[in-house]
Amino acid sequence: MPEPDTDAGSGPRPGAGGTRPTSRDVARAAGVSQATVSLVLGDKWRGRVSERTARAVRVAAGDLGYRPNLAARSLRLGATRTALLVVPALTHEYFARVYAGAAEVADAHGFGVVLYPSPAGVGPARDPFGSARTAIDGVIASSMAADALAAIGDGGLPLVMLDSDPDVPGGPPTVNLAVADGLRQVTRHLLGLGHRRVAHIAADVDTWTFRVRTEAVTAELAAAGLPPAPRRLSALDVTAARDAAVAALTAPGPRPTALLCDDDILAAGACKGARALGLRIPQDVSVSGFDDLALSSALDPELTTVRLPAESIGRHGMTALLALLAGRPAPPVELPLTLVPRASTASAPRG
Amino acid sequence: MPEPDTDAGSGPRPGAGGTRPTSRDVARAAGVSQATVSLVLGDKWRGRVSERTARAVRVAAGDLGYRPNLAARSLRLGATRTALLVVPALTHEYFARVYAGAAEVADAHGFGVVLYPSPAGVGPARDPFGSARTAIDGVIASSMAADALAAIGDGGLPLVMLDSDPDVPGGPPTVNLAVADGLRQVTRHLLGLGHRRVAHIAADVDTWTFRVRTEAVTAELAAAGLPPAPRRLSALDVTAARDAAVAALTAPGPRPTALLCDDDILAAGACKGARALGLRIPQDVSVSGFDDLALSSALDPELTTVRLPAESIGRHGMTALLALLAGRPAPPVELPLTLVPRASTASAPRG
DNA sequence: CTGTTAGCGCATTCAC
DNA sequence: GTGAATGCGCTAACAG
């Protein structure tokens, strides 16, 4: 046990064991009333409390280690200044970055963000108030499946959707990535390198973001006068992607010269699959990813991929939610994506 | 203003726009008093409320879509049933899994978990109540630097440390990984393959978990009668690790035949470095990681690494915190680690 | 300029 | 077995 810290002059113990100091304690210590304390610490005393008193209050509060009781404040205000960020998988680097962005602007506005990892993307999310049981002022939902939305939206809470279908008529405000454009960029990149036989390794996940990817690839190939890419569905893990890539590369007919993958994880699997068949990347087959995860530059060769402004979408999402909470409208946003060409794609082999 | 309720048979709107129903509304709807509602929904009406009344209450509550106001409940109970999980980096898969484990047992006990990503591991964490401003009953801190702990520990809140020095005298309860043993296993694995010149690519991070790794490697090599491994410090990213590996492999003297890395990320960089020098893995040089991230099997060849029971440590951490909150002691825990031999390590080349 | 008063929604005594 | 009263800590009205 450490000695009690120097109970010399400095006053009562800061965060010590017993009970936490209340605003009344601060008031007593400063020789003022509770209301004054509230005003001073709430930063709304411009012309109502004397400078001297204000300082006294702050000193007393600091001395006592006073922390306002959030529960009481929330109860009184009817708001918690807390937003819930619902993500399909916390394990994914992308969502961590979305969180960081959201938390940043939240913080600047005195808001907090708590995470609710919706179980496995599948099925309607369980009660968000079970796991992240904080009282919540609003919800930001990222990349959610359609039905999962229902469980959330029903909460009657202000809602912002990230990376989700913006064309739902009465739907919530959305902040989106220009996913379609991103895939157009990849497709054009591959076409520009002379690839004519491109296989699409697609994520087997039924969310807007992945549906759009398939459409974009198809449309862009059609625009170039090419037949639709043979498509292989794969779960979002390396092993499944590996198998999908092997299947794509060994299918009857001429072998694809490029594997366009919905995601960096899939691309990692695709690389393994190609190599397992003795194919070199990018000389024999080009592979492209999507997301620009740390993974994409950990691989060898580094992945050509598309950078997603994850923090930015988080920031915009929180900004939109704040607008909603303030009764202002939140116009839809679409953020541009940039192609990051690296070593995993090269000119199509001749023949 | 909505009409007073009960105009149509089915009753008032569930989660509709206006105001949320309170327990008093439920009481009125069920024709009982507020106290009865509280008892029924709090599941403590064993012999105090009649079965019929209880059902009526539950029906009314369901009908109205009643949700207890957490703020009010917390205020009354003096506890929030919420724990704060402090992690140095949310972007890391490991912490996501720790969270999942903690959330699981929390959920089973009616607790919630909110995350606080302590900025960049460096410097004392900023006020945890700024970002995750929920009221908190206790804190679980994972893999924190020593000084960051201070800011947290001062909160006077019950605290459990994960993956941190268990030998601090008056320190908080700890739940630990047998990190030292894990590195001993790796070291022995390499020695068993005939490697005698092992370089250590170490994380340039001053936390307990990494200090222990270095000590364990050193001790194990000494036990085998070998000189200490040449050590290269690297930031926890692929590029830095690549450079460190190149430096290690091109240092004067005989070339190391194995790179023992503190972490899978470092190992990924090490692989790139080795390959950049024209060395094959594992024929020319073996590389080992630590963590068993998804990355480790995305690489080619797959990494020999050590699996960390991340979910388990999260579960144990929450369990310990619950014990603390219940006034019970939380005995220290140490979880075993298992070596996962894969393709990135092989017999030392002769010569 | 400052103090007094009231009430947010809930869980809990204590009467009945 | 049930209802009426009380207070958690805070902030927003008003009164001085």
Side-chain angles (χ1 to χ4, degrees), chain A residues 48-71:
Chain A
R48 331 219 242 164
V49 176
S50 80
E51 179 68 46
R52 229 172 55 85
T53 330
R55 204 175 30 247
V57 168
R58 271 192 294 258
V59 166
D63 254 23
L64 287 165
Y66 169 71
R67 298 206 153 287
N69 179 321
L70 271 333

Side-chain angles (χ1 to χ4, degrees), chain A residues 126 272 275 297 300 302, chain B residues 107 272 275 297 300 302:
Chain A
R126 285 199 342 221
K272 292 184 76 171
R275 264 198 283 262
S297 49
D300 217 347
E302 299 190 349
Chain B
D107 206 42
K272 292 184 75 170
R275 264 198 284 262
S297 50
D300 217 348
E302 299 190 348

Side-chain angles (χ1 to χ4, degrees), chain A residues 74 78-86 111-116 127-140 152 155-159 318 321 325, chain B residues 20 67-71 82 113-114 133-134:
Chain A
S74 299
T80 57
R81 301 191 79 76
T82 300
L84 184 72
L85 176 64
V86 185
F111 268 71
V113 180
V114 316
L115 273 168
Y116 178 65
D127 180 6
F129 308 94
S131 181
R133 58 174 307 102
T134 324
I136 290 304
D137 288 344
V139 177
I140 304 176
I152 311 282
L157 288 168
L159 172 67
M318 191 66 211
L321 183 58
L325 290 173
Chain B
R20 280 202 352 201
R67 298 204 152 289
N69 178 320
L70 271 332
T82 301
V113 180
V114 317
R133 57 174 307 101
T134 325

